[in-house]
Amino acid sequence: MTDNNTTTAASLDEAAVPAGSAPTAKIVSALQRYRVLAWVTGLWLLLLTVEMIAKYGFGVDTPSWIAVVHGWVYFAYLLVTADLAVKVRWPIGRTVGTLIAGTIPLLSFFVEHRNAEDVKQQYSL
């Protein structure tokens, strides 16, 4: 009886994952990378926003490297988001919307939360 239950449970786990998708371990690691970069990108974007307000709104001399760091972090965010989108087979609209979320202050936090919940639910993670 134990063998039948194990086989049935394995079949149910396989049925929960959409056909032709990446193995669960790869999705978990891609999701983790995406979540970290979404937060890092969001935080750097907030810092960049504060820097721009201080520079152009109040004439404060600010360091120019903040924009450069945000640019590179955003580039990494684009790569890991595209990786996750391919692994979980997001439609192009959702992928582009998620990519753009890293350019609007605070939006990456909300989109990351929604995407993470959806992927966890879809793949039973």
Side-chain angles (χ1 to χ4, degrees), residues 12-13 16-17 24 118-125:
L12 290 175
D13 289 341
V17 177
T24 305
D118 288 349
V119 169
K120 285 179 183 179
Q121 181 182 13
Q122 182 179 5
Y123 291 92
S124 302
L125 303 177

Side-chain angles (χ1 to χ4, degrees), residues 12-87:
L12 290 175
D13 289 341
E14 291 171 8
V17 177
S21 64
T24 305
K26 289 185 178 184
I27 292 172
V28 169
S29 64
L31 179 63
Q32 187 63 33
R33 286 189 302 270
Y34 161 72
R35 294 186 77 186
V36 168
L37 261 297
W39 274 86
V40 172
T41 300
L43 291 173
W44 274 102
L45 182 57
L46 288 176
L47 182 61
L48 179 62
T49 302
V50 168
E51 188 255 342
M52 291 292 160
I53 291 170
K55 183 175 185 176
Y56 296 111
F58 299 103
V60 176
D61 187 29
T62 59
S64 61
W65 55 266
I66 293 174
V68 173
V69 172
H70 169 68
W72 282 106
V73 169
Y74 181 68
F75 180 70
Y77 169 79
L78 292 175
L79 294 176
V80 299
T81 301
D83 179 49
L84 178 64
V86 168
K87 283 183 173 59

